Amino acid sequence: MMKKVTFYLASFLITSSLLVTPRAAEAQSVDATADSEIIKTLERNCSSVRVAIKNIHTNDALTRVNVGQRYNSISTKLMARLNGRLAINKLDSSKLVNITNEFESTRLKFNSNYNDYDTAMTDLQRANCSNSVADYYQKLTVAREARNKLSEDVKILDELLVRYKEEVQVIKNSLSGGSNE
């Protein structure tokens, strides 16, 4: 029984170490004095901006699917199973359970925030920067803010994974007599 728990702990450590989650690019904030310059740039480069926005939206959709699947797998296939296995073996996994709950809550928030971002990007793509540059810029600002929320969610999820991994290592060390194997 102890070998199974150690196996699950080792599997989690290896899998979480191999996980590479892409970071959402953070949009730069723009102050009010730069707004007029940005609007002028949008007027001059409307068609190339629209192409760039379409490419970003397409790439982000693919990234979201991949990242979302990874986070879901980690939550259901690794964290939940390991927590259950530790509970069956009557090992204190309360810290892991708390981290898992926080991870799952943030993962659901990430999903919701992505839907908001996707809607903002779709609205932006439907807008026409040639006809109403100010409206287009406002939609661009909404999309940028939504993307920044996603970036924050990813940072929090990654931090939670690090905390979970560290706690798994503590449990693993306690099972192996305190040695760092």
Side-chain angles (χ1 to χ4, degrees), residues 37-76:
E37 190 61 39
I38 291 172
I39 288 174
K40 288 177 187 174
T41 302
L42 283 173
E43 285 176 328
R44 286 190 306 265
N45 302 309
C46 178
S47 60
S48 60
V49 168
R50 288 178 59 104
V51 169
I53 294 296
K54 184 177 193 272
N55 289 337
I56 289 169
H57 191 205
T58 301
N59 291 336
D60 284 352
L62 294 172
T63 300
R64 188 270 178 242
V65 168
N66 292 333
V67 170
Q69 286 175 346
R70 285 182 190 152
Y71 286 146
N72 187 51
S73 291
I74 288 169
S75 180
T76 59

Side-chain angles (χ1 to χ4, degrees), residues 57 113-126:
H57 191 205
N113 285 343
Y114 182 82
N115 291 337
D116 293 344
Y117 167 71
D118 190 54
T119 299
M121 287 296 282
T122 300
D123 289 347
L124 180 60
Q125 284 184 283
R126 288 182 182 150

